[in-house]
Amino acid sequence: MEKYLVSPESSPAKSTTTVRRPWKRSLIEVTGRLESAYRHQLNSLVAHSYLEIGKFSHFYHLNENPCVTHMREIQRLYHCPTMRGVAGLDFDNRGIFIVSVTRSGCLMVHDFESLYCQSSSEDESKHVVHFSYPPGREFDVARWNPSNQNEVACTSRKHDQVLIFDISYMSPKPTEVLQTRQKLSIIGRKVSRGLSDVAMTSDEDSRIFSPDTLGMVHVWDRRAGVSPCIELSTDRYDSIKSIQIYVDNQTIFGAGKEGIIHIWDLRGGRNSSAFQSRKDMSQLPLASLHLAPMLQKIASLKAQSKILPKEIHSINVNPSSPHQLAFHLDDGWSGVLDIYKSEVTHVHCPPPAWLDGSDSSADLILRKPSWLPASSIYVVGSMSEKGIHVLDFHPSSRSPCHVDYDEDTQRNEKRDKCNHSNKFVSLSETVTGCAAHPLNGMIVAGTQNSSLLVIAQRHCSSSSETAEGEL
């Protein structure tokens, strides 16, 4: 029987090669979480898929007569100078409605699904709200109240009031008017100061913040009355253009004409308002960060251009990475300030408008960008072209806008299979402001001609065409 046995020496040698298993995908399925690099790749693919799918010109009527913005657009067609354009856009928390205001004096609330399912003409009967006001009442900002989605707050740089409209009442009269304190000049005249922005806390509080054109941020507690309870001041004259509330609802960011980002802490700051009289309640900023010196620290940027203090048009806190505060300057530059490190980490510098011989009137537009909800992508209207820049502001150095980005290293890195780059989306009109849908990342852009443009990913655009055909 021994001749049928196999000797140990003749047994085949064990293989030393290891079989690689796709544990990466399995780990995603088990933990339900995506790695940061993989998520960045997906977001880059999404950013490169945007295109315009609908345009809605503001040729609307009220009681069978053209609204005030409609009349201004007719004047524009006959080359009559007029204040025009969509000044403010904002989605509600669920992305069902979008509010828009024009500099001509119209306030509108659109059903977003109606815009999405149509391509060129909007059914005016489906407007949720359309208020048109006579000359003298124009709007610059509109914001939904995060804790009461029936309320919209509006301000103007030519008026010192915050107008609060309850959309459920369907009334053109504001339900509440918040007034700033009167300030007198040396000769006893009332100093006129408009309100350039408005923000509201999201913790079911009643506080409303609005900066004026003289460098003061007014804070109202609606339970205490229609006059400000606190005033946040700066240690210098600086017209505040934009304001943001941090996620803790206690830290306030303000930026403006002098290129400075001011930071206030409502819990204290430099001096507490708890032991001050009600007439003298004011609070200096906890810190004031100058952007120009921070930009000068970027060697590659300093070598190519002369960096001077520039007016800040807008600031926005990144909803997916709250330590990132995006800023947009009057010359078209955009970037990110890391509020933990107090340094600029990202910057995007498009060519100036005069280089292409573009219309200089675009310089007067106060552009208002927006973050996409969950991808660290920043969307801003172009200063010199008809379109928007979709900027990759991912926190890591893989972002093409990061100050430490090395293009050669990223190109040769085998594990990075996605080409991270910014995207320019050509549109039919010059953009003044953008608003991103809070759930699906679709974009609505307001234009200088008072139109609304709907911008979606390619797979969404094909779905809208199908829906329109079914209708």
Side-chain angles (χ1 to χ4, degrees), residues 50 91 372 379 388 390 434-437 441-445 453-456:
Y50 281 103
F91 273 102
L372 295 189
V379 182
I388 56 174
V390 183
C434 301
H437 194 281
M442 294 178 65
I443 302 168
V444 175
L453 307 179
V454 180
I455 307 158

Side-chain angles (χ1 to χ4, degrees), residues 218-264:
H218 306 270
V219 184
W220 289 270
D221 188 334
R222 297 172 64 183
R223 298 166 296 186
V226 297
S227 297
C229 59
I230 303 175
E231 291 180 344
L232 308 179
S233 60
T234 59
D235 52 3
R236 55 186 296 169
Y237 173 76
D238 186 9
S239 177
I240 304 296
K241 300 290 185 182
S242 180
I243 190 172
Q244 283 282 290
I245 303 176
Y246 193 58
V247 292
D248 61 359
N249 288 303
Q250 299 293 335
T251 307
I252 311 299
F253 298 94
K257 191 172 183 179
E258 300 297 323
I260 305 173
I261 297 178
H262 304 281
I263 306 174
W264 294 272

Side-chain angles (χ1 to χ4, degrees), residues 344-356:
V344 174
T345 58
H346 299 69
V347 66
H348 175 255
C349 308
W354 56 263
L355 194 62
D356 299 329

Side-chain angles (χ1 to χ4, degrees), residues 22 80 154:
C80 297
C154 301

Side-chain angles (χ1 to χ4, degrees), residues 133-350:
Y133 298 90
R137 169 57 68 189
E138 56 190 56
F139 299 105
D140 289 296
V141 181
R143 294 277 189 269
W144 289 98
N145 185 348
S147 57
N148 183 358
Q149 293 287 274
N150 287 329
E151 290 186 340
V152 173
C154 301
T155 61
S156 170
R157 290 196 295 272
K158 292 190 176 181
H159 300 278
D160 58 355
Q161 298 173 334
V162 177
L163 305 181
I164 300 177
F165 298 88
D166 192 319
I167 304 303
S168 62
Y169 288 170
M170 299 291 182
S171 172
K173 294 183 179 181
T175 56
E176 191 172 2
V177 178
L178 305 180
Q179 184 76 44
T180 61
R181 289 197 183 93
Q182 291 188 2
K183 184 177 181 181
L184 301 179
S185 64
I186 299 177
I187 60 176
R189 290 184 178 180
K190 180 182 177 181
V191 178
S192 61
R193 50 183 177 182
L195 300 177
S196 53
D197 201 357
V198 65
M200 290 160 280
T201 53
S202 58
D203 56 354
E204 297 185 359
D205 202 341
S206 301
R207 290 177 297 176
I208 295 181
F209 303 80
S210 185
D212 63 28
T213 54
L214 299 180
M216 191 79 69
V217 178
H218 306 270
V219 184
W220 289 270
D221 188 334
R222 297 172 64 183
R223 298 166 296 186
V226 297
S227 297
C229 59
I230 303 175
E231 291 180 344
L232 308 179
S233 60
T234 59
D235 52 3
R236 55 186 296 169
Y237 173 76
D238 186 9
S239 177
I240 304 296
K241 300 290 185 182
S242 180
I243 190 172
Q244 283 282 290
I245 303 176
Y246 193 58
V247 292
D248 61 359
N249 288 303
Q250 299 293 335
T251 307
I252 311 299
F253 298 94
K257 191 172 183 179
E258 300 297 323
I260 305 173
I261 297 178
H262 304 281
I263 306 174
W264 294 272
D265 191 334
L266 300 180
R267 294 161 293 196
R270 288 187 181 178
N271 54 340
S272 175
S273 59
F275 301 100
Q276 300 181 29
S277 66
R278 188 171 182 83
K279 294 182 179 180
D280 299 326
M281 264 191 193
S282 63
Q283 186 171 316
L284 290 173
L286 179 67
S288 296
L289 307 178
H290 297 250
L291 275 185
M294 296 182 184
L295 293 173
Q296 289 176 356
K297 294 180 181 179
I298 306 174
S300 58
L301 187 61
K302 184 178 180 181
Q304 299 180 33
S305 59
K306 184 177 181 180
I307 300 174
L308 299 173
K310 302 169 186 175
E311 180 178 337
I312 302 175
H313 276 192
S314 178
I315 54 174
N316 302 87
V317 175
N318 186 353
S320 59
S321 298
H323 68 281
Q324 287 189 307
L325 181 70
F327 58 85
H328 182 68
L329 306 181
D330 63 346
D331 60 353
W333 289 17
S334 302
V336 171
L337 173 69
D338 190 322
I339 62 175
Y340 293 163
K341 301 177 181 179
S342 296
E343 63 182 22
V344 174
T345 58
H346 299 69
V347 66
H348 175 255
C349 308

Side-chain angles (χ1 to χ4, degrees), residues 31 50 61 82-83 206 318 393 432:
T31 63
Y50 281 103
H61 298 76
T82 177
M83 284 296 294
S206 301
N318 186 353
F393 280 167
T432 58

